[in-house]
Amino acid sequence: MNEQQRKQQAQIKETNPTDVKSSMDNMERIKNTSSEDLISKYFKTTYEPPNLNKARKRGRDKVNVHYDFSIPEDMENIGEGKKFLIRTYGCQMNEHDTEVMAGILTEMGYISTSETNAADIILLNTCAIRENAENKVFGEIGHLKALKREKPDLILGVCGCMSQEESVVNRILKKHQHVDLIFGTHNIHRLPHLVKEAMFGKEKIVEVWSKEGDVIENLPKARKGKIKAWVNIMYGCDKFCTYCIVPMTRGKERSRLPEDIIQEVRHLAAQGYKEVTLLGQNVNAYGKDLDGMTYGLGDLMDELRKIDIPRIRFTTSHPRDFDDRLIEVLAKGGNLLDHIHLPVQSGSSEILKKMNRKYTRESYLELVRKIRAAMPNATLTTDIIVGFPNETEEQFEETMTLMEEVGFEAAYTFIYSPREGTPAARKKDNVPEEVKKQRLYRLNELVNRQSAASMKTYQDQVVKVLVEGESKKDPEVLAGYTERNKLVNFKGPKSAIGQIVDVKITEAKTWSLDGVMIENTIGVE
C-alpha cells in the first residue's frame, strides 16, 4: 500500500468516530445504504474498496518483482498456540493462493486445523466465476455467525475473487457485520499486516486493490503432501471474454521471470515431488508481457523438461495463444505430458464471437489438427458453456457436433451464469431455463458416452499410475492418475503411495479405471 492510500485510510478513520453497534441494531438503518455512506456513518473501518471500473483499465505500468518478503518481527510468533482454517472455493489458482496464505500463517506461528470450532482465524478463499459458488460462500458466512458470537476474538475473513467485486463487499458490510477482514487477490502478501490490524485495531479491515500489484517472490507455501505441486507462472488475464469476471478480479497478465520458475521447479524435484502443474488464468499467454524478451510457454517448458521430475502439466490454456512453438516442444515428450485441457466454450462461431473468444470453430479445429499431427495419442479435454444469451438450437447443435468431431475424452460443462459487471450480463435472453437444462443434459450424455469409450481403450492395458493415496470410498484401495489424467483404483501396498507404479487395467468405467498393480514396479519410472 502506498503513502497516499495510507493517508486516505487515516482520513477515513478520523471522520468515523461512531463505534460499530450490533448487527441487529444496525440492520434496518443500513439496509439500503451504499458502501461509501455505510463506512462514513456506521463503521470505524480501515477501508480501501474494490472498483471494477478501475480494474477494467489496462495500463502499461511496469510490473516490478520483489524478493524481500518477510514476516514483520512483531508478528513472527503471534500465532503460537493458535490455529487457522482456510476454506477454498474455485479453481487451482485459488488452491495455490490458499497454499501461500497457509504458508504465511504457519510462519506466524499458527497451525492448521480442519475443525471449525478450534480455529482462531477462519478465511474463506472465494470464487466469483459462477453464482452457485457465491451462494455457497454467503451460506457459509451465515453459518459462522453463531461461532463468532461464541468466540468474539475469532478473526473471520473473506478473500479471493469475490472480494474484488463492489456488490459482494457491500453485501457483506450491510448484512454480515460479523466479518472482520476483507481482502482481495492482489495483496495476499500483506496478510500479516492485515491480521495485525484485525487483531489489535478493533476495526473492520477492507483492503482490496483494484489495480493489481507487483510480482512477489519468496512467498512461503504450505503445500498439500509431497507428491504433486502447483507452480504459478503468471497472474491475471487480458482476454476479456464477455461472460467472465476474472480479468477484473485477477488483473492484467503478469509473468514471473523464467529463472524464478525454473529454480522453484528444481527445488521441488530435489524435494522428491513427482508432478508439477504450471498455473495461470491463461497459462499459454506466458511471457508476452516480459520486457525485452521473446520467450513463451514453449520456451519455458523446453527448459523445464530437462529437470529430473517425472511429470509436468499446465492449465488452463486459451486456444488463441496455443502456438506452434508450444506444440513443437510438447511433442518432444519425456516428462511433458500430452494431456491438454483446451477450453472451447462453444462450437458455434457466432456464439464464440459474442463471447469475445477471438477464434472461430474452424480455427479451433485447425489447432486440434496440428496437435493431433504432432501428438497422435494426445488426450484432449475442454470446458463448455450452454445457454449463452439467445443461443439457438442450431448453435447448440454445433457444440454437439464439435464435441464429437474433436473426440474430447472429458469436459466440464455448465449452464451460463451471468456475472454482474460483465458485458454478457446486460444481454436480454430469450432462452427458457428449462431449455438450457435440457441442452446441458443432452451434452452431458454425449460427454459420458465419449468418456466411457475412451476408457474402454485401456482395458487389459498396463498404465503408469502416480499413486496419491487411499481411495475416498475404500481405504483398502489405492488411487492415482495416469499420464493422461485417468483415475485408477487398485489394491496395493501403502508403500506405493507417492510412487509411480505399473497397473494392469481389469475394468474400464465411465470416469475411472480399476486395475491390479504389477509386482516389483514401485519406484520404477
Side-chain angles (χ1 to χ4, degrees):
M1 182 181 299
N2 60 36
E3 188 61 29
Q4 182 181 2
Q5 291 168 335
R6 294 188 184 280
K7 287 179 180 178
Q8 289 173 345
Q9 287 189 354
Q11 290 170 358
I12 291 172
K13 292 178 187 179
E14 289 171 5
T15 57
N16 293 320
T18 307
D19 289 335
V20 180
K21 294 185 178 181
S22 71
S23 298
M24 294 303 293
D25 290 341
N26 282 333
M27 188 59 67
E28 286 305 312
R29 287 184 290 170
I30 69 177
K31 185 166 56 177
N32 297 311
T33 310
S34 72
S35 62
E36 304 292 342
D37 291 339
L38 179 66
I39 291 301
S40 64
K41 286 183 180 180
Y42 299 120
F43 293 107
K44 185 179 179 185
T45 307
T46 301
Y47 188 63
E48 185 175 346
N51 187 314
L52 287 182
N53 286 328
K54 286 183 181 178
R56 286 189 187 92
K57 296 177 181 177
R58 285 290 182 270
R60 299 188 65 84
D61 299 340
K62 180 178 175 58
V63 174
N64 297 308
V65 183
H66 301 274
Y67 299 91
D68 56 353
F69 174 84
S70 64
I71 305 295
E73 188 175 340
D74 61 345
M75 295 298 286
E76 283 182 351
N77 301 309
I78 199 70
E80 283 192 2
K82 298 180 180 179
K83 299 178 180 181
F84 73 88
L85 170 63
I86 305 176
R87 290 217 169 97
T88 311
Y89 306 79
C91 67
Q92 295 95 337
M93 193 70 72
N94 279 26
E95 296 281 358
H96 185 265
D97 286 347
T98 288
E99 291 180 344
V100 172
M101 289 187 287
I104 291 173
L105 290 170
T106 299
E107 289 204 354
M108 292 167 63
Y110 291 91
I111 60 173
S112 176
T113 181
S114 58
E115 299 295 327
T116 304
N117 292 338
D120 299 281
I121 293 181
I122 298 176
L123 298 178
L124 305 182
N125 187 8
T126 63
C127 172
I129 291 291
R130 290 176 184 85
E131 185 178 12
N132 187 47
E134 288 197 3
N135 290 339
K136 286 181 180 179
V137 172
F138 278 115
E140 184 63 20
I141 292 173
H143 292 152
L144 290 170
K145 186 174 183 178
L147 180 61
K148 176 67 174 176
R149 206 180 272 127
E150 292 174 16
K151 299 175 63 175
D153 291 334
L154 168 69
I155 295 176
L156 176 57
V158 178
C159 56
C161 290
M162 280 175 59
S163 299
Q164 296 288 151
E165 300 179 81
E166 297 106 315
S167 60
V168 168
V169 173
N170 294 348
R171 181 174 172 183
I172 293 174
L173 290 173
K174 290 179 181 179
K175 297 185 177 182
H176 302 283
Q177 296 172 42
H178 56 290
V179 173
D180 305 290
L181 172 61
I182 303 172
F183 61 101
T185 60
H186 307 312
N187 55 338
I188 287 173
H189 62 286
R190 280 188 40 79
L191 184 57
H193 304 274
L194 299 175
V195 169
K196 181 180 179 179
E197 290 185 51
M199 188 177 289
F200 300 115
K202 296 183 179 180
E203 301 172 346
K204 286 188 180 295
I205 310 301
V206 182
E207 183 179 287
V208 184
W209 295 356
S210 297
K211 181 188 180 301
E212 56 277 330
D214 292 330
V215 173
I216 313 296
E217 293 290 347
N218 300 336
L219 291 169
K221 301 176 184 70
R223 300 186 191 274
K224 294 180 179 179
K226 292 287 184 180
I227 302 171
K228 300 168 74 170
W230 308 111
V231 174
N232 187 278
I233 68 171
M234 65 179 300
Y235 305 89
C237 180
D238 287 349
K239 288 299 178 283
F240 288 97
C241 300
T242 58
Y243 55 82
C244 186
I245 197 72
V246 166
M248 281 73 84
T249 62
R250 287 284 177 177
K252 70 181 180 183
E253 292 171 354
R254 292 102 68 209
S255 299
R256 294 176 64 196
L257 295 176
E259 56 265 33
D260 293 328
I261 299 166
I262 293 167
Q263 182 184 48
E264 183 175 351
V265 175
R266 282 180 179 151
H267 285 166
L268 291 168
Q271 292 171 47
Y273 283 87
K274 295 295 193 294
E275 181 174 305
V276 161
T277 300
L278 308 181
L279 289 182
Q281 302 297 153
N282 179 18
V283 71
N284 52 338
Y286 173 78
K288 291 188 174 184
D289 60 305
L290 293 174
D291 291 336
M293 298 178 66
T294 303
Y295 194 94
L297 180 59
D299 301 301
L300 176 65
M301 297 196 78
D302 208 20
E303 293 289 334
L304 294 179
R305 72 184 182 86
K306 302 169 188 174
I307 297 175
D308 185 19
I309 196 164
R311 296 181 176 184
I312 298 177
R313 305 182 189 272
F314 62 94
T315 195
T316 288
S317 57
H318 192 294
R320 184 179 165 197
D321 291 320
F322 211 107
D323 57 31
D324 293 345
R325 170 63 173 157
L326 178 56
I327 295 173
E328 171 197 345
V329 172
L330 290 176
K332 294 179 181 180
N335 60 356
L336 305 182
L337 303 185
D338 57 2
H339 165 242
I340 298 170
H341 189 67
L342 193 62
V344 65
Q345 307 301 358
S346 173
S348 164
S349 292
E350 291 179 359
I351 293 294
L352 290 171
K353 184 176 182 179
K354 291 177 181 178
M355 290 178 168
N356 195 36
R357 292 289 287 176
K358 299 292 178 65
Y359 57 83
T360 63
R361 174 192 178 97
E362 290 72 26
S363 62
Y364 185 92
L365 289 172
E366 174 60 18
L367 173 59
V368 170
R369 185 198 65 76
K370 287 182 179 180
I371 293 172
R372 297 278 193 214
M375 295 169 278
N377 296 318
T379 294
L380 294 179
T381 57
T382 196
D383 297 341
I384 295 176
I385 298 171
V386 303
F388 192 76
N390 305 309
E391 177 189 63
T392 66
E393 183 63 25
E394 291 75 17
Q395 289 165 340
F396 170 70
E397 284 297 334
E398 287 183 277
T399 295
M400 296 285 280
T401 57
L402 180 83
M403 181 79 196
E404 293 177 304
E405 189 169 346
V406 174
F408 292 116
E409 296 189 14
Y412 294 102
T413 61
F414 312 93
I415 290 178
Y416 165 74
S417 176
R419 309 311 300 135
E420 184 178 342
T422 62
R426 299 193 295 268
K427 298 280 187 184
K428 289 187 177 181
D429 188 5
N430 62 5
V431 183
E433 192 66 24
E434 188 57 38
V435 171
K436 294 177 182 180
K437 290 179 180 178
Q438 282 296 320
R439 289 176 184 172
L440 182 67
Y441 177 80
R442 288 159 55 197
L443 176 61
N444 284 340
E445 278 193 322
L446 177 58
V447 172
N448 291 344
R449 287 199 301 273
Q450 293 189 187
S451 176
S454 70
M455 289 298 196
K456 283 182 180 179
T457 64
Y458 290 92
Q459 183 70 42
D460 299 324
Q461 300 296 310
V462 175
V463 295
K464 291 191 177 297
V465 178
L466 174 53
V467 188
E468 296 187 23
E470 298 173 355
S471 167
K472 293 179 180 179
K473 295 181 179 180
D474 186 349
E476 297 300 314
V477 174
L478 299 181
Y481 285 85
T482 70
E483 293 166 327
R484 296 195 173 98
N485 215 36
K486 305 298 185 185
L487 174 62
V488 180
N489 296 295
F490 65 97
K491 287 192 175 182
K494 295 293 191 289
S495 58
I497 295 174
Q499 303 297 321
I500 295 176
V501 302
D502 288 341
V503 176
K504 184 173 182 179
I505 302 305
T506 57
E507 183 179 0
K509 301 177 180 178
T510 301
W511 294 109
S512 65
L513 302 166
D514 289 346
V516 177
M517 192 181 92
I518 297 176
E519 294 182 7
N520 303 319
T521 63
I522 294 178
V524 179
E525 297 170 5

